[in-house]
């Protein structure tokens, strides 16, 4: 492994650690992206809960995701312009562009369902159960990319599954005001949604990494433009459907300061995740997501006065152990 300190670029091995990309990337910028991505991911569920009014979301989930996709698209265009000026521009063929429609469809479904999942569980449980993405990603890595799973990683995945069961059981035992973000709770519908969400997240993550790296020399900004173009079309269609149901075509209906913070931070989160999958891998992405669990739990205790139960604490500890074992 070659490395230089400061603001110079580094080259490391293909099996990147969370702090090191697998291709030449500015290390200071890389570490800043990892930290920023962790904080943003951990604050997402907190911010959505702060948007709630009487236990409901006052805005359309599709409008939220559509605005995020639009911002990501324009940022990618701005970042791509200097490359076009230097190297020129060749219109991508339809066969080159179409594969980006697949993850766009998966992300459209998952991003919308993740908004409504906030109404089915507290922020801390959302983050802990979200670590089940590691299970689906590991199995899909094994099936699609043929990456082997070691014995230690099998132990880690088993602990992760036990953690999910523990937190789910504890959340289902919740009594009183289960709509409060300050109470550990999970509904049965929430569990079904989370299992679906984690499987699709693993599938979309592995597939996105595959298409981003298949044409590694292609600009990441151009690849993002193609992905977000499909995202705008898909979420635009969903928004039109939701708006017709609500009889209101105001794209910003129900928006508050917190909603705009979600839009802006999630736009940058999406760009960070694409850079991670392009220059590292989904394991680094999952490390970031898992670390965000601590951010969400700490913020829940600080903002909502969250009181932890035994099942949650056990699940939290198991997830930490599982993470250490999995990333050895």
């Amino acid at each position: 492994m070659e490395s230089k300190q400061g603001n110079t670029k580094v080259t490391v091995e293909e099996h990147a650690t969370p702090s090191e990309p697998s291709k030449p990337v500015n290390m200071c910028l890389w570490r800043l992206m990892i930290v920023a991505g962790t904080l943003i991911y951990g604050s997402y569920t907190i911010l959505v809960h702060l948007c709630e009014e009487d236990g409901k979301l006052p805005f359309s989930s599709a409008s939220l995701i559509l605005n995020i996709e639009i911002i990501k698209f324009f940022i990618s265009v701005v970042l791509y312009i200097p490359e076009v000026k230097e190297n020129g521009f060749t219109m991508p063929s339809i066969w080159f562009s179409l594969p980006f429609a697949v993850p766009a469809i998966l992300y459209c479904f998952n991003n919308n369902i993740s908004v409504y999942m906030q109404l089915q569980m507290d922020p801390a449980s959302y983050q802990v159960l979200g670590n089940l993405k590691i299970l689906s990603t590991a199995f899909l890595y094994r099936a699609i990319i043929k990456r082997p799973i070691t014995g230690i990683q099998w132990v880690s995945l088993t602990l992760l599954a036990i953690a999910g069961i523990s937190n789910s059981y504890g959340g289902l035992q919740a009594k009183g005001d289960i709509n409060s973000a300050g109470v550990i709770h999970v509904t049965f519908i929430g569990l079904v949604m989370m299992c679906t969400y984690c499987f699709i997240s693993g599938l979309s993550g592995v597939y996105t990494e595959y298409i981003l790296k298949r044409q590694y020399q292609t600009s990441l900004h151009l690849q993002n433009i193609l992905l977000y173009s499909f995202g705008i079309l898909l979420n635009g269609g969903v928004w039109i459907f939701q708006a017709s149901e609500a009889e209101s075509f105001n794209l910003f209906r129900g928006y508050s300061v917190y909603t705009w913070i979600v839009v802006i931070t999630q736009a940058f989160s999406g760009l960070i995740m694409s850079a991670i999958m392009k220059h590292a891998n989904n394991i680094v992405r999952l490390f970031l997501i898992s670390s965000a669990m601590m951010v969400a739990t700490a913020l829940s205790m600080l903002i909502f006065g969250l009181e932890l139960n035994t099942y949650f604490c056990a699940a939290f500890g198991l997830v930490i152990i599982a993470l250490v074992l999995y990333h050895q």
Side-chain angles (χ1 to χ4, degrees):
M1 176 178 69
E2 299 175 75
S3 176
K4 292 183 179 180
Q5 298 298 321
N7 293 326
T8 56
K9 293 182 179 180
V10 298
T11 302
V12 297
E13 298 174 358
E14 286 293 322
H15 299 290
T17 66
S19 61
E20 297 179 327
S22 61
K23 303 293 181 182
V25 175
N26 184 295
M27 280 300 294
C28 288
L29 178 60
W30 182 259
R31 288 167 180 160
L32 179 62
M33 285 198 308
I34 295 295
V35 173
T38 301
L39 294 175
I40 290 173
Y41 200 94
S43 64
Y44 166 72
T45 179
I46 303 294
L47 290 167
V48 174
H49 275 278
L50 288 173
C51 293
E52 290 180 20
E53 295 180 1
D54 299 322
K56 297 180 180 180
L57 294 173
F59 53 83
S60 158
S61 65
S63 76
L64 181 77
I65 307 305
L66 176 58
N67 283 314
I68 292 171
E69 295 294 303
I70 291 172
I71 292 176
K72 289 190 294 185
F73 175 84
F74 280 110
I75 291 176
S76 297
V77 169
V78 170
L79 293 174
Y80 186 49
I81 288 175
E83 295 183 18
V84 173
K85 289 181 177 179
E86 182 178 347
N87 305 315
F89 175 73
T90 302
M91 180 66 70
S93 69
I94 187 67
W95 300 114
F96 179 87
S97 305
L98 273 179
F100 290 90
V102 176
I105 294 171
L106 297 174
Y107 286 131
C108 177
F109 177 85
N110 247 24
N111 289 338
N112 278 277
I113 197 176
S114 72
V115 175
Y116 292 111
M117 270 199 295
Q118 309 307 318
L119 302 177
Q120 306 298 327
M121 61 191 73
D122 64 278
S125 292
Y126 171 81
Q127 287 294 153
V128 170
L129 293 174
N131 284 286
L132 293 175
K133 292 177 184 178
I134 297 177
L135 279 170
S136 59
T137 303
F139 285 118
L140 289 166
Y141 249 57
R142 181 72 180 86
I144 298 173
I145 302 183
K146 308 301 181 184
R147 176 170 293 179
I149 301 175
T150 66
I152 291 294
Q153 287 178 326
W154 277 115
V155 173
S156 170
L157 295 175
T158 302
L159 291 176
L160 199 62
I162 295 173
I165 294 171
S166 174
N167 188 75
S168 300
Y169 180 78
L172 290 171
Q173 306 307 305
K175 297 178 180 179
D177 183 13
I178 63 169
N179 289 322
S180 171
V183 177
I184 296 291
H185 69 278
V186 183
T187 67
F188 177 75
I189 294 175
L191 286 178
V192 174
M193 294 171 73
M194 178 59 77
C195 290
T196 305
Y197 170 80
C198 286
F199 175 77
I200 294 177
S201 176
L203 180 60
S204 59
V206 171
Y207 184 83
T208 302
E209 180 183 338
Y210 169 74
I211 61 173
L212 289 178
K213 289 180 174 175
R214 185 179 62 176
Q215 298 283 348
Y216 189 81
Q217 299 307 315
T218 301
S219 168
L220 173 62
H221 306 312
L222 175 59
Q223 292 173 318
N224 280 340
I225 289 170
L226 294 173
L227 177 61
Y228 302 147
S229 295
F230 284 113
I232 290 171
L233 290 174
L234 291 165
N235 285 285
V238 176
W239 173 71
I240 291 173
F241 174 78
Q242 291 184 348
S244 63
E245 290 285 307
E247 298 183 348
S248 173
F249 285 87
N250 178 3
L251 185 60
F252 310 116
R253 178 179 62 87
Y255 274 40
S256 64
V257 173
Y258 292 122
T259 315
W260 280 112
I261 295 175
V262 172
V263 170
I264 294 170
T265 55
Q266 288 306 300
F268 282 100
S269 177
L271 294 168
I272 290 172
M273 289 298 185
S274 66
I276 287 174
M277 286 188 280
K278 173 86 168 184
H279 298 296
N281 54 50
N282 265 283
I283 303 304
V284 179
R285 167 178 162 267
L286 291 174
F287 180 89
L288 182 154
I289 292 172
S290 300
S291 300
M293 171 184 69
M294 303 177 193
V295 176
T297 302
L299 289 175
S300 293
M301 295 174 68
L302 180 65
I303 297 173
F304 301 121
L306 178 71
E307 296 182 2
L308 307 181
N309 60 32
T310 304
Y311 298 104
F312 178 89
C313 292
F316 194 96
L318 286 172
V319 168
I320 296 296
I321 295 171
L323 289 174
V324 172
L325 293 175
Y326 191 86
H327 295 293
Q328 279 188 342

